[in-house]
Amino acid sequence: MSFLRHEVEGEEHRVLAETAFGSEIKRKDPHKQVQKDEPTAATLFANTLAGKICCVFCDRSHPSQDCQKLSSMNYENRKLQVMRQRCCLVCLKPGHMAKKCHSNVKSLICERRHYALLCPDLRKDTNSYSKVKVADEKQKSTEVLLTNLPSEREIYLKTITVRLRHKGTELCVRALMDDGSHRSYIEKSLAAELNLSPYGKEILSQGLFGGGISPATEHGRFTVTVESLDRKYSTSVSLLDQPKICSTLPRIRDENLLAELVSRGIKLTDVGRDTPPT
């Protein structure tokens, strides 16, 4: 009771002091709850689509900037469609507006913050779609992983030397063992040199590093015999033709490294100082 009496007296003194000096200090209510922002419909819509890629123009599962339907739409219709879907005019994603977008997207036509397909300068150009296509191709090229970029040290990929055989014709070639590929390919020049005849065709798109997707193209399907250099193993493989599979890949030429591998019973076939095509 003595403690409570001191507390009450102290409070009375404080009120008296505030009244005497005309203080306008307002006390904060410790029990007042902090008001939280209620989720908007756009936020809920964005959370629902989190992790799911959906095109603004055709509702299919690919990035909006890669949509093939853009060829038949002018600038006004594209912008209207983005606004109708309540998406950002910068990154084409739902959940926020252009003023609050933190994306570093930049148009290759006017250097402003938007994709080339929404560039206002397209209204001044009659060949707008061709200009967008060239700009998008340049933008995609920066997303593709290049294997021949200079680096501080060489990085060796899984390459081997094998023998291709077809109707008496043999060729020793380099093969790249790519665990991320869903198909096996052969360069068109090799298929022609081996006189291979296609037994079918397949139309498919290539998924690129960075999420880009190449246009659908037609590939011929061939069957060829792949054989080891010592001829102890051979198998028949189905391959799709491709004009170019990859850039130049370095071979292992470090003699100390090769000697250590031999001492461990490991023998490599794709070695040497030259870098033939793969």
Side-chain angles (χ1 to χ4, degrees):
M1 295 299 293
S2 176
F3 169 76
L4 292 176
R5 183 172 61 254
H6 285 300
E7 288 294 318
V8 172
E9 291 177 353
E11 182 68 14
E12 290 177 350
H13 288 308
R14 186 192 64 78
V15 174
L16 180 62
E18 288 184 355
T19 305
F21 291 101
S23 174
E24 295 181 357
I25 300 176
K26 297 180 179 180
R27 297 183 60 193
K28 295 183 179 180
D29 188 356
H31 301 289
K32 186 178 181 180
Q33 295 182 354
V34 178
Q35 184 177 1
K36 298 183 180 179
D37 294 336
E38 294 294 333
T40 61
T43 306
L44 295 176
F45 181 71
N47 293 336
T48 304
L49 297 179
K52 180 181 178 181
I53 300 176
C54 188
C55 178
V56 177
F57 304 101
C58 66
D59 294 331
R60 296 184 180 179
S61 57
H62 60 251
S64 301
Q65 61 271 20
D66 299 334
C67 184
Q68 301 294 328
K69 189 178 178 181
L70 294 174
S71 58
S72 59
M73 300 177 65
N74 56 25
Y75 168 79
E76 286 76 12
N77 290 336
R78 296 172 189 175
K79 184 176 181 180
L80 183 62
Q81 179 66 14
V82 175
M83 297 175 65
R84 187 183 294 115
Q85 296 291 335
R86 298 183 179 180
C87 295
C88 174
L89 291 173
V90 176
C91 64
L92 304 179
K93 296 180 180 178
H96 63 274
M97 305 304 292
K99 293 182 179 180
K100 297 183 179 180
C101 183
H102 301 289
S103 177
N104 56 356
V105 173
K106 182 181 290 187
S107 171
L108 295 177
I109 299 177
C110 65
E111 300 295 328
R112 284 177 287 183
R113 291 182 66 246
H114 50 251
Y115 280 104
L117 61 94
L118 288 179
C119 184
D121 293 346
L122 296 179
R123 292 176 293 185
K124 307 174 184 178
D125 192 350
T126 55
N127 297 325
S128 59
Y129 179 67
S130 61
K131 197 171 184 179
V132 171
K133 189 173 182 181
V134 172
D136 286 343
E137 291 298 327
K138 290 182 180 179
Q139 194 163 359
K140 287 181 183 179
S141 65
T142 62
E143 302 174 348
V144 181
L145 177 63
L146 301 178
T147 56
N148 60 349
L149 291 178
S151 58
E152 296 180 359
R153 62 177 183 176
E154 289 184 335
I155 299 177
Y156 303 114
L157 300 183
K158 294 186 290 185
T159 60
I160 60 174
T161 303
V162 296
R163 181 182 287 107
L164 299 182
R165 181 162 46 85
H166 179 71
K167 294 183 179 180
T169 305
E170 295 183 353
L171 287 176
C172 290
V173 299
R174 300 179 72 196
L176 172 64
M177 313 297 290
D178 186 2
D179 297 334
S181 178
H182 293 177
R183 300 287 192 280
S184 297
Y185 298 89
I186 183 174
E187 286 193 357
K188 286 187 176 182
S189 58
L190 287 178
E193 194 170 350
L194 289 170
N195 296 321
L196 299 178
S197 299
Y199 69 89
K201 296 181 181 180
E202 185 170 346
I203 300 176
L204 50 85
S205 300
Q206 306 289 345
L208 307 178
F209 179 81
I213 300 176
S214 66
T217 55
E218 186 178 84
H219 301 266
R221 184 178 293 279
F222 302 87
T223 299
V224 65
T225 300
V226 180
E227 191 175 60
S228 61
L229 296 181
D230 57 7
R231 300 184 185 277
K232 292 183 179 180
Y233 176 81
S234 65
T235 183
S236 181
V237 180
S238 177
L239 306 173
L240 299 178
D241 64 350
Q242 179 73 15
K244 185 69 176 177
I245 294 179
C246 68
S247 58
T248 303
L249 299 178
R251 279 178 161 179
I252 298 179
R253 53 177 178 268
D254 188 340
E255 295 183 358
N256 295 329
L257 178 58
L258 293 174
E260 182 178 352
L261 292 175
V262 172
S263 65
R264 297 173 180 268
I266 301 174
K267 183 179 179 180
L268 303 180
T269 59
D270 191 32
V271 297
R273 295 190 172 276
D274 56 338
T275 55
T278 302

